[in-house]
Amino acid sequence: MRILVPFEATRPKTRLDGVLDTDERVAFAQAMLRDVLRACRDAGHDPEVVATAEVDVSAPVAVDDRPLSEAVNARLAATDDPLGIVVADLALLTPAAVDRLVAAAADADLAIAPGRGGGTNGLVVTHPDFRVDFHGVSFRDHLDAAEAVGADVTVVDSMRLSTDVDEPADLVEVLLHGEGEAAAWLRAAGFELDPVDGRVGINRRE
Ligand SMILES: Nc1nc2c(ncn2[C@@H]2O[C@H](COP(=O)(O)OP(=O)(O)OP(=O)(O)O)[C@@H](O)[C@H]2O)c(=O)[nH]1
Ligand SMILES: C[C@H](OP(=O)(O)O)C(=O)O
């Protein structure tokens, strides 16, 4: 299946600015993107990056400077085939998790994987009239949009699909469960778990 991977290439991951400088955010975001592309490919699919600027990865890249939802919706409108959409900041993604998302669309017009905090991390759209509306509480908005066009929905409950890396606390999950380039990049940059009382945090070695 064709899977779009939207990517903010110019100013990625601004919410990590407290722990990573600008160049580091670019490097880390690209490492996560490569992990996502590999998981999609290893699951037998055809990922296609939809990026705000050129990025050097081993997948087709379409540069599209329209806002995220517009860029994705233009592609939904241009095809009658099922189309996958997976965000680029899923550092824990595995081929098995991609398979689960795609398999969930076999019996539904829309398979959707929520992100933590109200977002949407993965979709497979088979209904011709469904359109995305990212940002804000997009998971709830996508359920409403599906209902409005009469699309039946399967929700995919997956730790690896729900863990998008937005904020410093999310780096804990990458250090704990990540097996790809993003986890390796973080470790090489000196990040380690900080098992304080209560929730585990992160620490960066000097
Ligand atoms: N093509 C495209 N992708 C985008 C755009 N904005 C965000 N993305 C991608 O969409 C997904 C979700 O993005 P967010 O987590 O909301 O934003 P982000 O830019 O990654 O991070 P923040 O700057 O911290 O909000 C990620 O894969 C981003 O790379 C955009 O305007 N165009
Ligand atoms: C694109 C956006 O991502 P978040 O900011 O929730 O990670 C969303 O899922 O709607």
Side-chain angles (χ1 to χ4, degrees):
M1 180 181 294
R2 184 174 162 223
I3 299 182
L4 305 180
V5 182
F7 185 62
E8 166 52 66
T10 331
R11 292 183 65 246
K13 296 287 115 204
T14 54
R15 283 170 278 174
L16 294 177
D17 66 352
V19 290
L20 298 176
D21 69 26
T22 306
D23 291 346
E24 289 173 333
R25 292 201 304 275
V26 169
F28 181 59
Q30 290 187 2
M32 291 198 288
L33 171 64
R34 287 193 295 272
D35 286 340
V36 168
L37 295 175
R38 182 169 304 115
C40 292
R41 255 196 320 265
D42 287 354
H45 301 292
D46 302 311
E48 182 183 314
V49 181
V50 179
T52 52
E54 273 302 340
V55 55
D56 185 16
V57 285
S58 56
V61 176
V63 174
D64 190 327
D65 61 6
R66 287 175 285 190
L68 173 59
S69 297
E70 243 181 274
V72 170
N73 284 334
R75 287 162 176 82
L76 280 170
T79 185
D80 293 326
D81 295 329
L83 187 62
I85 302 134
V86 172
V87 294
D89 54 1
L90 302 181
L92 308 187
L93 196 63
T94 56
V98 177
D99 274 340
R100 282 192 56 203
L101 178 66
V102 172
D107 307 317
D109 297 318
L110 176 73
I112 181 166
R116 289 190 309 189
T120 304
N121 289 347
L123 302 132
V124 174
V125 181
T126 62
H127 194 288
D129 299 324
F130 178 83
R131 297 293 179 265
V132 296
D133 181 9
F134 283 106
H135 298 306
V137 193
S138 68
F139 176 65
R140 188 181 60 193
D141 295 342
H142 285 143
L143 295 183
D144 290 347
E147 191 177 3
V149 297
D152 56 65
V153 179
T154 298
V155 176
V156 181
D157 176 3
S158 157
M159 184 270 279
R160 290 186 179 273
L161 279 161
S162 67
T163 307
D164 51 334
V165 179
D166 287 332
E167 295 177 357
D170 300 327
L171 299 181
V172 169
E173 311 303 331
V174 185
L175 289 169
L176 264 177
H177 306 294
E179 290 156 14
E181 288 194 39
W185 187 94
L186 274 187
R187 292 190 190 104
F191 286 91
E192 58 192 11
L193 294 174
D194 185 13
V196 288
D197 285 346
R199 254 181 198 254
V200 177
I202 51 159
N203 179 46
R204 190 172 191 177
R205 290 190 306 275
E206 292 299 316

